Amino acid sequence: MMEKSFPEGFLWGAATAAYQIEGGFNEDGRSTANWDVFCRIPGNVYHGDTGDVASDHYHHWKEDVALMKELGLPAYRFSFAWPRIIPTGKGPVNRKGLDFYDHLVDELLESNIKPFPTLYHWDHPAVLDEIGGWTNREMSAWFADYASILVEHFSDRITNWITINEPFVVAMIGYQLGGVAPGMKDVKATAAATHHLLLGHGLAVKAMRQAAKQPLQIGITLNLSNIESASPSQADRDAARCRDAYLNRVFLDPLFNGKYPVEMTENLGFVFPEGFEKDLPVIGEPTDFLGINNYTRDVVKANPANDLFPFDLIQPEESTFSTMWEMYPKGLYDLLTRLKRDYPLKAVYITENGTAITDGIDADNRVRDSRRIQFLQDYIASVHQAIKEGVPVKGYFVWSLMDNYEWSLGYSRRFGIIFVDYENGQRRVLKDSARWYSDVIRRNGFDMKKYYAEPFQSN
Ligand code: FCB
């Protein structure tokens, strides 16, 4: 008997995003993207790396789908590039942009792989930033128009759709901390962007249902983490509550409960655009599933000296880290069971989970990424446990199908289960984790094993 077997029909997949893999930045009518601009500003991206070529999926898509087929992947989450589809942001459609995705989608379907696209994974035509980007309320309507064009065109073949990927990163990291495009540091703009992203989502859901050629499954993807306070002190617990409002509830509450959390306005000084209350019913437009991206947990300590955020995230000692974050599989279980307690979840997809570790091609052309296998196994086991306790998780997507452009960290981080040899003709090599994952898919589960021993540490 297999220890961890998943419900029949559980959807296994892998995920990518347009700007991170496609390249082909100036081909076939694609306009300049916000990220093309952002990555060219010195200091914004590690090593000055750009997404001009990335993993060159724009030219390798056929080979990439063949690899997915080889792995037996049932589903593939990718994103559409707004600058390819509507190069001016809100004007005419670019036929060649649609063509690229037509070919991709048809190839996926022929290979028996379910396309599970995201409409917006952070890239939009740069011209839209000249008129305010997400601080401009009209952006929500332009996004909904873009969404309905894609649904009109593809809903004969695609039933599962994600509107927006991680509005937190766009709003808070993009408009408040300046770490992703557009690189602003303005709390007022952040509150506006937060609201308009949510409004754009709600308007899009409505427009998509109208444009659909068959009933669709529509959801939004949030990056959520379980929040823990660094100590039982009141100050740390209050800080953790604020962090929870800022990362999780600022999106979950308007989507599911028709309101913003009070901590946002009271403790964190967010001023949402005037008349925002009127939009809350639109934002709460019912969806079919919630997409969750999860990588780690947040351990929070109070920091009263910081008036913008009265909290710090700490790295717990004696824990294990990737080249990005703490590896903490139980955090995903804690998160899922908490969400079930607090929100009326119909269905959940883990739309991203994975890890960046140091890996490379060995002399025999293998990539022995056993730490990634360990990570995936332990996180997926957490999902298994949550399902056993009644959380309606319907599928899981590993981030990422292939190594790619990790935003402000450029090519310095590798998240793929497929290695991309950027220097050698963009050669693809299946990592050990890809083979392991393929086996999990085939068996619809796995037996728990120890794949990786921590390096010996003397003390
Ligand atoms: C998420 C993003 C995804 C990728 C992973 C590592 O925040 O959605 O594009 O960069 O992190």
Side-chain angles (χ1 to χ4, degrees), residues 98-122:
L98 290 176
D99 285 349
F100 171 70
Y101 297 105
D102 267 332
H103 296 147
L104 174 67
V105 167
D106 290 343
E107 187 82 4
L108 288 167
L109 292 171
E110 267 169 42
S111 311
N112 245 320
I113 301 166
K114 190 195 245 314
F116 206 127
T118 307
L119 296 167
Y120 183 72
H121 200 125
W122 310 354

PDB file of all heavy atoms in Angstrom, residues 98-122:
ATOM      1  N   LEU A  98      -1.892  36.058 -30.566  1.00  0.00           N
ATOM      2  CA  LEU A  98      -2.830  34.940 -30.364  1.00  0.00           C
ATOM      3  C   LEU A  98      -2.279  33.666 -30.998  1.00  0.00           C
ATOM      4  O   LEU A  98      -2.408  32.575 -30.434  1.00  0.00           O
ATOM      5  CB  LEU A  98      -4.195  35.269 -30.978  1.00  0.00           C
ATOM      6  CG  LEU A  98      -5.034  36.342 -30.278  1.00  0.00           C
ATOM      7  CD1 LEU A  98      -6.316  36.600 -31.082  1.00  0.00           C
ATOM      8  CD2 LEU A  98      -5.402  35.940 -28.850  1.00  0.00           C
ATOM      9  N   ASP A  99      -1.651  33.821 -32.170  1.00  0.00           N
ATOM     10  CA  ASP A  99      -1.120  32.649 -32.885  1.00  0.00           C
ATOM     11  C   ASP A  99      -0.159  31.834 -32.014  1.00  0.00           C
ATOM     12  O   ASP A  99      -0.220  30.611 -31.980  1.00  0.00           O
ATOM     13  CB  ASP A  99      -0.350  33.078 -34.148  1.00  0.00           C
ATOM     14  CG  ASP A  99      -1.296  33.503 -35.263  1.00  0.00           C
ATOM     15  OD1 ASP A  99      -2.520  33.272 -35.139  1.00  0.00           O
ATOM     16  OD2 ASP A  99      -0.806  34.088 -36.255  1.00  0.00           O
ATOM     17  N   PHE A 100       0.733  32.555 -31.344  1.00  0.00           N
ATOM     18  CA  PHE A 100       1.722  31.841 -30.525  1.00  0.00           C
ATOM     19  C   PHE A 100       1.018  30.931 -29.514  1.00  0.00           C
ATOM     20  O   PHE A 100       1.358  29.750 -29.360  1.00  0.00           O
ATOM     21  CB  PHE A 100       2.658  32.826 -29.807  1.00  0.00           C
ATOM     22  CG  PHE A 100       3.551  32.149 -28.799  1.00  0.00           C
ATOM     23  CD1 PHE A 100       4.576  31.310 -29.216  1.00  0.00           C
ATOM     24  CD2 PHE A 100       3.349  32.321 -27.432  1.00  0.00           C
ATOM     25  CE1 PHE A 100       5.386  30.648 -28.292  1.00  0.00           C
ATOM     26  CE2 PHE A 100       4.155  31.659 -26.506  1.00  0.00           C
ATOM     27  CZ  PHE A 100       5.171  30.831 -26.936  1.00  0.00           C
ATOM     28  N   TYR A 101       0.015  31.487 -28.829  1.00  0.00           N
ATOM     29  CA  TYR A 101      -0.670  30.688 -27.808  1.00  0.00           C
ATOM     30  C   TYR A 101      -1.608  29.651 -28.423  1.00  0.00           C
ATOM     31  O   TYR A 101      -1.844  28.598 -27.835  1.00  0.00           O
ATOM     32  CB  TYR A 101      -1.396  31.613 -26.817  1.00  0.00           C
ATOM     33  CG  TYR A 101      -0.418  32.487 -26.068  1.00  0.00           C
ATOM     34  CD1 TYR A 101      -0.291  33.840 -26.376  1.00  0.00           C
ATOM     35  CD2 TYR A 101       0.415  31.944 -25.095  1.00  0.00           C
ATOM     36  CE1 TYR A 101       0.629  34.638 -25.719  1.00  0.00           C
ATOM     37  CE2 TYR A 101       1.342  32.730 -24.428  1.00  0.00           C
ATOM     38  CZ  TYR A 101       1.454  34.082 -24.737  1.00  0.00           C
ATOM     39  OH  TYR A 101       2.363  34.856 -24.083  1.00  0.00           O
ATOM     40  N   ASP A 102      -2.126  29.943 -29.615  1.00  0.00           N
ATOM     41  CA  ASP A 102      -2.926  28.929 -30.326  1.00  0.00           C
ATOM     42  C   ASP A 102      -2.088  27.675 -30.552  1.00  0.00           C
ATOM     43  O   ASP A 102      -2.535  26.553 -30.295  1.00  0.00           O
ATOM     44  CB  ASP A 102      -3.379  29.466 -31.694  1.00  0.00           C
ATOM     45  CG  ASP A 102      -4.759  30.104 -31.621  1.00  0.00           C
ATOM     46  OD1 ASP A 102      -5.566  29.693 -30.753  1.00  0.00           O
ATOM     47  OD2 ASP A 102      -5.032  31.027 -32.413  1.00  0.00           O
ATOM     48  N   HIS A 103      -0.862  27.903 -31.043  1.00  0.00           N
ATOM     49  CA  HIS A 103       0.007  26.754 -31.314  1.00  0.00           C
ATOM     50  C   HIS A 103       0.322  25.999 -30.031  1.00  0.00           C
ATOM     51  O   HIS A 103       0.269  24.774 -29.974  1.00  0.00           O
ATOM     52  CB  HIS A 103       1.312  27.220 -31.984  1.00  0.00           C
ATOM     53  CG  HIS A 103       1.076  27.823 -33.336  1.00  0.00           C
ATOM     54  ND1 HIS A 103       1.838  28.853 -33.839  1.00  0.00           N
ATOM     55  CD2 HIS A 103       0.143  27.563 -34.279  1.00  0.00           C
ATOM     56  CE1 HIS A 103       1.381  29.186 -35.039  1.00  0.00           C
ATOM     57  NE2 HIS A 103       0.362  28.415 -35.331  1.00  0.00           N
ATOM     58  N   LEU A 104       0.645  26.761 -29.004  1.00  0.00           N
ATOM     59  CA  LEU A 104       0.997  26.144 -27.725  1.00  0.00           C
ATOM     60  C   LEU A 104      -0.182  25.330 -27.181  1.00  0.00           C
ATOM     61  O   LEU A 104      -0.031  24.162 -26.797  1.00  0.00           O
ATOM     62  CB  LEU A 104       1.407  27.236 -26.716  1.00  0.00           C
ATOM     63  CG  LEU A 104       1.659  26.766 -25.280  1.00  0.00           C
ATOM     64  CD1 LEU A 104       2.897  25.879 -25.213  1.00  0.00           C
ATOM     65  CD2 LEU A 104       1.836  27.964 -24.332  1.00  0.00           C
ATOM     66  N   VAL A 105      -1.351  25.950 -27.145  1.00  0.00           N
ATOM     67  CA  VAL A 105      -2.529  25.301 -26.562  1.00  0.00           C
ATOM     68  C   VAL A 105      -2.899  24.057 -27.371  1.00  0.00           C
ATOM     69  O   VAL A 105      -3.193  22.995 -26.800  1.00  0.00           O
ATOM     70  CB  VAL A 105      -3.710  26.301 -26.484  1.00  0.00           C
ATOM     71  CG1 VAL A 105      -5.027  25.594 -26.197  1.00  0.00           C
ATOM     72  CG2 VAL A 105      -3.426  27.355 -25.414  1.00  0.00           C
ATOM     73  N   ASP A 106      -2.840  24.154 -28.682  1.00  0.00           N
ATOM     74  CA  ASP A 106      -3.192  22.989 -29.503  1.00  0.00           C
ATOM     75  C   ASP A 106      -2.203  21.841 -29.297  1.00  0.00           C
ATOM     76  O   ASP A 106      -2.587  20.675 -29.224  1.00  0.00           O
ATOM     77  CB  ASP A 106      -3.297  23.378 -30.982  1.00  0.00           C
ATOM     78  CG  ASP A 106      -4.521  24.266 -31.226  1.00  0.00           C
ATOM     79  OD1 ASP A 106      -5.423  24.285 -30.346  1.00  0.00           O
ATOM     80  OD2 ASP A 106      -4.585  24.950 -32.259  1.00  0.00           O
ATOM     81  N   GLU A 107      -0.949  22.207 -29.182  1.00  0.00           N
ATOM     82  CA  GLU A 107       0.080  21.174 -28.931  1.00  0.00           C
ATOM     83  C   GLU A 107      -0.148  20.515 -27.558  1.00  0.00           C
ATOM     84  O   GLU A 107       0.010  19.301 -27.412  1.00  0.00           O
ATOM     85  CB  GLU A 107       1.469  21.836 -28.990  1.00  0.00           C
ATOM     86  CG  GLU A 107       2.629  20.870 -28.921  1.00  0.00           C
ATOM     87  CD  GLU A 107       2.970  20.228 -30.268  1.00  0.00           C
ATOM     88  OE1 GLU A 107       2.335  20.597 -31.291  1.00  0.00           O
ATOM     89  OE2 GLU A 107       3.846  19.350 -30.286  1.00  0.00           O
ATOM     90  N   LEU A 108      -0.507  21.319 -26.573  1.00  0.00           N
ATOM     91  CA  LEU A 108      -0.784  20.763 -25.237  1.00  0.00           C
ATOM     92  C   LEU A 108      -1.959  19.786 -25.321  1.00  0.00           C
ATOM     93  O   LEU A 108      -1.895  18.666 -24.814  1.00  0.00           O
ATOM     94  CB  LEU A 108      -1.118  21.887 -24.241  1.00  0.00           C
ATOM     95  CG  LEU A 108       0.039  22.775 -23.795  1.00  0.00           C
ATOM     96  CD1 LEU A 108      -0.482  24.022 -23.085  1.00  0.00           C
ATOM     97  CD2 LEU A 108       0.974  22.009 -22.856  1.00  0.00           C
ATOM     98  N   LEU A 109      -3.017  20.228 -25.976  1.00  0.00           N
ATOM     99  CA  LEU A 109      -4.213  19.387 -26.038  1.00  0.00           C
ATOM    100  C   LEU A 109      -3.930  18.086 -26.791  1.00  0.00           C
ATOM    101  O   LEU A 109      -4.376  17.017 -26.368  1.00  0.00           O
ATOM    102  CB  LEU A 109      -5.365  20.156 -26.681  1.00  0.00           C
ATOM    103  CG  LEU A 109      -5.892  21.326 -25.835  1.00  0.00           C
ATOM    104  CD1 LEU A 109      -6.882  22.173 -26.623  1.00  0.00           C
ATOM    105  CD2 LEU A 109      -6.536  20.831 -24.535  1.00  0.00           C
ATOM    106  N   GLU A 110      -3.166  18.206 -27.851  1.00  0.00           N
ATOM    107  CA  GLU A 110      -2.810  16.988 -28.583  1.00  0.00           C
ATOM    108  C   GLU A 110      -1.975  16.044 -27.731  1.00  0.00           C
ATOM    109  O   GLU A 110      -1.963  14.841 -27.941  1.00  0.00           O
ATOM    110  CB  GLU A 110      -2.013  17.333 -29.843  1.00  0.00           C
ATOM    111  CG  GLU A 110      -2.899  17.480 -31.062  1.00  0.00           C
ATOM    112  CD  GLU A 110      -2.158  18.081 -32.232  1.00  0.00           C
ATOM    113  OE1 GLU A 110      -0.994  17.686 -32.471  1.00  0.00           O
ATOM    114  OE2 GLU A 110      -2.747  18.968 -32.884  1.00  0.00           O
ATOM    115  N   SER A 111      -1.255  16.602 -26.791  1.00  0.00           N
ATOM    116  CA  SER A 111      -0.407  15.786 -25.911  1.00  0.00           C
ATOM    117  C   SER A 111      -1.148  15.380 -24.645  1.00  0.00           C
ATOM    118  O   SER A 111      -0.535  14.905 -23.688  1.00  0.00           O
ATOM    119  CB  SER A 111       0.848  16.568 -25.527  1.00  0.00           C
ATOM    120  OG  SER A 111       1.448  17.114 -26.662  1.00  0.00           O
ATOM    121  N   ASN A 112      -2.448  15.663 -24.624  1.00  0.00           N
ATOM    122  CA  ASN A 112      -3.257  15.294 -23.458  1.00  0.00           C
ATOM    123  C   ASN A 112      -2.925  16.057 -22.191  1.00  0.00           C
ATOM    124  O   ASN A 112      -2.999  15.527 -21.082  1.00  0.00           O
ATOM    125  CB  ASN A 112      -3.080  13.803 -23.163  1.00  0.00           C
ATOM    126  CG  ASN A 112      -4.382  13.091 -23.380  1.00  0.00           C
ATOM    127  OD1 ASN A 112      -5.432  13.633 -23.006  1.00  0.00           O
ATOM    128  ND2 ASN A 112      -4.310  11.932 -23.999  1.00  0.00           N
ATOM    129  N   ILE A 113      -2.505  17.293 -22.350  1.00  0.00           N
ATOM    130  CA  ILE A 113      -2.131  18.123 -21.206  1.00  0.00           C
ATOM    131  C   ILE A 113      -3.144  19.254 -21.100  1.00  0.00           C
ATOM    132  O   ILE A 113      -3.394  19.969 -22.077  1.00  0.00           O
ATOM    133  CB  ILE A 113      -0.705  18.684 -21.387  1.00  0.00           C
ATOM    134  CG1 ILE A 113       0.297  17.538 -21.519  1.00  0.00           C
ATOM    135  CG2 ILE A 113      -0.335  19.611 -20.228  1.00  0.00           C
ATOM    136  CD1 ILE A 113       1.663  17.967 -22.023  1.00  0.00           C
ATOM    137  N   LYS A 114      -3.708  19.409 -19.906  1.00  0.00           N
ATOM    138  CA  LYS A 114      -4.734  20.433 -19.716  1.00  0.00           C
ATOM    139  C   LYS A 114      -4.084  21.807 -19.555  1.00  0.00           C
ATOM    140  O   LYS A 114      -3.282  22.005 -18.644  1.00  0.00           O
ATOM    141  CB  LYS A 114      -5.508  20.082 -18.436  1.00  0.00           C
ATOM    142  CG  LYS A 114      -6.775  20.899 -18.199  1.00  0.00           C
ATOM    143  CD  LYS A 114      -7.222  20.724 -16.759  1.00  0.00           C
ATOM    144  CE  LYS A 114      -8.532  20.030 -16.530  1.00  0.00           C
ATOM    145  NZ  LYS A 114      -9.700  20.320 -17.240  1.00  0.00           N
ATOM    146  N   PRO A 115      -4.415  22.762 -20.442  1.00  0.00           N
ATOM    147  CA  PRO A 115      -3.873  24.110 -20.268  1.00  0.00           C
ATOM    148  C   PRO A 115      -4.609  24.803 -19.114  1.00  0.00           C
ATOM    149  O   PRO A 115      -5.824  24.730 -19.028  1.00  0.00           O
ATOM    150  CB  PRO A 115      -4.199  24.815 -21.602  1.00  0.00           C
ATOM    151  CG  PRO A 115      -4.895  23.813 -22.465  1.00  0.00           C
ATOM    152  CD  PRO A 115      -5.297  22.651 -21.615  1.00  0.00           C
ATOM    153  N   PHE A 116      -3.864  25.431 -18.234  1.00  0.00           N
ATOM    154  CA  PHE A 116      -4.432  26.075 -17.032  1.00  0.00           C
ATOM    155  C   PHE A 116      -3.813  27.467 -16.962  1.00  0.00           C
ATOM    156  O   PHE A 116      -2.907  27.715 -16.158  1.00  0.00           O
ATOM    157  CB  PHE A 116      -4.069  25.216 -15.814  1.00  0.00           C
ATOM    158  CG  PHE A 116      -4.986  25.317 -14.630  1.00  0.00           C
ATOM    159  CD1 PHE A 116      -5.548  24.175 -14.060  1.00  0.00           C
ATOM    160  CD2 PHE A 116      -5.276  26.545 -14.047  1.00  0.00           C
ATOM    161  CE1 PHE A 116      -6.373  24.241 -12.942  1.00  0.00           C
ATOM    162  CE2 PHE A 116      -6.098  26.629 -12.927  1.00  0.00           C
ATOM    163  CZ  PHE A 116      -6.659  25.464 -12.371  1.00  0.00           C
ATOM    164  N   PRO A 117      -4.244  28.388 -17.821  1.00  0.00           N
ATOM    165  CA  PRO A 117      -3.528  29.658 -17.939  1.00  0.00           C
ATOM    166  C   PRO A 117      -3.871  30.706 -16.876  1.00  0.00           C
ATOM    167  O   PRO A 117      -4.942  30.689 -16.288  1.00  0.00           O
ATOM    168  CB  PRO A 117      -3.961  30.173 -19.313  1.00  0.00           C
ATOM    169  CG  PRO A 117      -5.322  29.610 -19.507  1.00  0.00           C
ATOM    170  CD  PRO A 117      -5.323  28.265 -18.819  1.00  0.00           C
ATOM    171  N   THR A 118      -2.915  31.586 -16.698  1.00  0.00           N
ATOM    172  CA  THR A 118      -3.089  32.795 -15.895  1.00  0.00           C
ATOM    173  C   THR A 118      -3.143  33.958 -16.874  1.00  0.00           C
ATOM    174  O   THR A 118      -2.357  34.011 -17.823  1.00  0.00           O
ATOM    175  CB  THR A 118      -1.867  32.990 -14.963  1.00  0.00           C
ATOM    176  OG1 THR A 118      -1.662  31.800 -14.222  1.00  0.00           O
ATOM    177  CG2 THR A 118      -2.066  34.156 -14.010  1.00  0.00           C
ATOM    178  N   LEU A 119      -4.051  34.866 -16.655  1.00  0.00           N
ATOM    179  CA  LEU A 119      -4.154  36.017 -17.560  1.00  0.00           C
ATOM    180  C   LEU A 119      -3.077  37.051 -17.283  1.00  0.00           C
ATOM    181  O   LEU A 119      -2.554  37.686 -18.192  1.00  0.00           O
ATOM    182  CB  LEU A 119      -5.530  36.678 -17.409  1.00  0.00           C
ATOM    183  CG  LEU A 119      -6.702  35.797 -17.830  1.00  0.00           C
ATOM    184  CD1 LEU A 119      -8.010  36.398 -17.367  1.00  0.00           C
ATOM    185  CD2 LEU A 119      -6.689  35.637 -19.340  1.00  0.00           C
ATOM    186  N   TYR A 120      -2.783  37.227 -16.010  1.00  0.00           N
ATOM    187  CA  TYR A 120      -1.844  38.299 -15.651  1.00  0.00           C
ATOM    188  C   TYR A 120      -0.834  37.801 -14.621  1.00  0.00           C
ATOM    189  O   TYR A 120      -1.159  37.636 -13.449  1.00  0.00           O
ATOM    190  CB  TYR A 120      -2.609  39.502 -15.097  1.00  0.00           C
ATOM    191  CG  TYR A 120      -1.712  40.681 -14.765  1.00  0.00           C
ATOM    192  CD1 TYR A 120      -1.144  41.436 -15.773  1.00  0.00           C
ATOM    193  CD2 TYR A 120      -1.434  41.022 -13.441  1.00  0.00           C
ATOM    194  CE1 TYR A 120      -0.309  42.513 -15.480  1.00  0.00           C
ATOM    195  CE2 TYR A 120      -0.603  42.100 -13.135  1.00  0.00           C
ATOM    196  CZ  TYR A 120      -0.055  42.828 -14.166  1.00  0.00           C
ATOM    197  OH  TYR A 120       0.767  43.895 -13.872  1.00  0.00           O
ATOM    198  N   HIS A 121       0.371  37.537 -15.096  1.00  0.00           N
ATOM    199  CA  HIS A 121       1.453  37.172 -14.186  1.00  0.00           C
ATOM    200  C   HIS A 121       2.502  38.290 -14.278  1.00  0.00           C
ATOM    201  O   HIS A 121       3.625  38.079 -14.716  1.00  0.00           O
ATOM    202  CB  HIS A 121       2.027  35.809 -14.560  1.00  0.00           C
ATOM    203  CG  HIS A 121       2.799  35.133 -13.456  1.00  0.00           C
ATOM    204  ND1 HIS A 121       2.515  33.861 -13.007  1.00  0.00           N
ATOM    205  CD2 HIS A 121       3.849  35.558 -12.713  1.00  0.00           C
ATOM    206  CE1 HIS A 121       3.371  33.531 -12.042  1.00  0.00           C
ATOM    207  NE2 HIS A 121       4.202  34.548 -11.845  1.00  0.00           N
ATOM    208  N   TRP A 122       2.048  39.514 -13.984  1.00  0.00           N
ATOM    209  CA  TRP A 122       2.877  40.701 -13.738  1.00  0.00           C
ATOM    210  C   TRP A 122       3.355  41.488 -14.950  1.00  0.00           C
ATOM    211  O   TRP A 122       3.933  42.571 -14.787  1.00  0.00           O
ATOM    212  CB  TRP A 122       4.101  40.367 -12.889  1.00  0.00           C
ATOM    213  CG  TRP A 122       3.812  39.601 -11.636  1.00  0.00           C
ATOM    214  CD1 TRP A 122       2.585  39.271 -11.125  1.00  0.00           C
ATOM    215  CD2 TRP A 122       4.767  39.073 -10.705  1.00  0.00           C
ATOM    216  NE1 TRP A 122       2.714  38.565  -9.962  1.00  0.00           N
ATOM    217  CE2 TRP A 122       4.042  38.428  -9.678  1.00  0.00           C
ATOM    218  CE3 TRP A 122       6.154  39.089 -10.650  1.00  0.00           C
ATOM    219  CZ2 TRP A 122       4.681  37.798  -8.601  1.00  0.00           C
ATOM    220  CZ3 TRP A 122       6.778  38.455  -9.580  1.00  0.00           C
ATOM    221  CH2 TRP A 122       6.050  37.828  -8.564  1.00  0.00           C
TER     222      TRP A 122
END
